[in-house]
Amino acid sequence: MADCSPSSRCGKSAACSGCSSAPQPLETAKSRALRKTLGGIRNTLFVMSGKGGVGKSAVTVNLAAALANAGLRVGSLDVDMHGPSVPSLLGIDAHLAPRDEEVLVPAYYREKIAVVSMDSLLADRDTAIIWRGPKKTAAINQFLTSVAWGNLDVLLVDSPPGTGDEHLAVLQAIPDARCIMVTTPQEISLADVRKALHFLERIKADLMGLVENMSGLSCPHCGGSIDIFSSGGGEALAKARGIPFFGRIPIDPAMLVAADARCPLVDMDGDFPSKEAFINIALNVKKRLFSEEK
């Protein structure tokens, strides 16, 4: 038997994790279920900001659609229990279908994005979810352990504002998830983003990069940019913190048209500044993901 006492060659105690003879964590029913349902997912991207109203859901669905258009197998999980919007932005009215008593089959957007959301479980979608933290955590764990996600290249997780139960539930269940921070350029947004960055540092989560949304208004008449919310604040924060910067998305009237049409802007016909920005950001994300796998 290996000697792992402090006086042994390795100089570590028997509880250390650096010895092959150290006891390994016991596999639980939850960890087995997570390994079974998430085992076919190569990358998980957790989209967050710390603040509401910065366009996390729009970023999530457009990145998902752009990555799917680039040939990837994509899923989207909406863990905003109180204000789920991913199904609406993707035009999904179908409910999640039970394959058997323990497994749910995701709804699909155009047969190319697997989607799971609390909204797709409600008989009446105007019903408010009035839950405390433990029930929200339990629902998220069920989404992660009881859904037939299948084989995906990327699972994008859309989060609610803040740094609370939903964020901890996902990042503790999927410790190798990569986080994408979304901000708008003005200081009131950046202040909450800095708190969210501190949250990620505290729990030792992996920050993949930052996106600046609503970065200037793209004028539909002249094509110029009007900085009604300023611009560049997110990029400056990324530079100051040494965070990879994926790009800026301008305010674009076409985004409203896409939202009302219940279709991602990247799948709308026509050339739009925001559409081009989303596609470029998706290509940056794809490049970073798969260059790191080599």
Side-chain angles (χ1 to χ4, degrees):
M1 179 179 295
D3 179 11
C4 284
S5 65
S7 60
S8 68
R9 184 178 179 183
C10 74
K12 300 177 182 178
S13 69
C16 75
S17 60
C19 297
S20 59
S21 59
Q24 300 300 310
L26 294 176
E27 187 176 45
T28 64
K30 178 182 174 182
S31 63
R32 284 195 297 271
L34 284 169
R35 180 165 49 82
K36 180 179 179 180
T37 57
L38 303 181
I41 299 174
R42 294 172 66 185
N43 301 281
T44 300
L45 301 181
F46 188 66
V47 183
M48 63 177 296
S49 76
K51 183 169 184 62
V54 301
K56 290 184 300 296
S57 297
V59 169
T60 299
V61 299
N62 279 283
L63 283 184
L67 290 170
N69 292 342
L72 301 186
R73 298 166 297 178
V74 179
S76 181
L77 170 61
D78 188 349
V79 297
D80 189 340
M81 297 296 161
H82 303 291
S85 53
V86 167
S88 178
L89 291 171
L90 291 174
I92 294 175
D93 294 315
H95 286 74
L96 303 185
R99 191 173 70 187
D100 53 44
E101 292 183 358
E102 297 183 352
V103 177
L104 290 171
V105 177
Y108 277 85
Y109 165 72
R110 296 188 179 181
E111 300 301 318
K112 65 182 181 180
I113 302 176
V115 180
V116 170
S117 170
M118 178 56 67
D119 202 46
S120 299
L121 290 172
L122 299 175
D124 180 358
R125 294 188 172 181
D126 291 333
T127 301
I129 300 295
I130 308 172
W131 285 353
R132 296 185 187 273
K135 289 201 72 173
K136 293 189 285 186
T137 300
I140 291 170
N141 285 331
Q142 184 174 7
F143 287 157
L144 294 174
T145 59
S146 303
V147 172
W149 288 108
N151 295 320
L152 299 176
D153 294 305
V154 183
L155 174 66
L156 289 107
V157 183
D158 184 33
S159 69
T163 52
D165 295 301
E166 297 92 337
H167 307 77
L168 287 170
V170 172
L171 294 174
Q172 289 176 349
I174 314 175
D176 60 349
R178 316 289 303 279
C179 299
I180 295 179
M181 194 69 65
V182 179
T183 187
T184 53
Q186 67 270 46
E187 176 57 30
I188 194 168
S189 176
L190 297 171
D192 285 345
V193 167
R194 286 191 286 268
K195 293 182 178 68
L197 293 174
H198 179 249
F199 164 79
L200 295 180
E201 292 171 1
R202 286 288 302 273
I203 67 170
K204 295 180 171 57
D206 185 1
L207 176 60
M208 185 183 185
L210 186 144
V211 171
E212 181 176 312
N213 196 23
M214 305 182 195
S215 183
L217 168 67
S218 176
C219 178
H221 303 294
C222 69
S225 179
I226 306 169
D227 290 341
I228 57 174
F229 289 157
S230 78
S231 67
E235 185 174 6
L237 175 63
K239 184 177 180 180
R241 296 290 187 96
I243 300 167
F245 183 69
F246 287 137
R248 302 183 191 179
I249 304 161
I251 300 172
D252 188 341
M255 287 292 294
L256 174 61
V257 175
D260 286 346
R262 307 180 74 211
C263 176
L265 181 61
V266 299
D267 282 345
M268 298 278 288
D269 292 332
D271 296 324
F272 309 104
S274 291
K275 178 178 178 179
E276 181 181 359
F278 279 124
I279 291 172
N280 288 336
I281 289 170
L283 293 176
N284 288 337
V285 169
K286 180 183 177 184
K287 181 179 179 181
R288 185 169 177 83
L289 277 177
F290 296 107
S291 66
E292 292 173 354
E293 287 189 353
K294 294 179 181 178

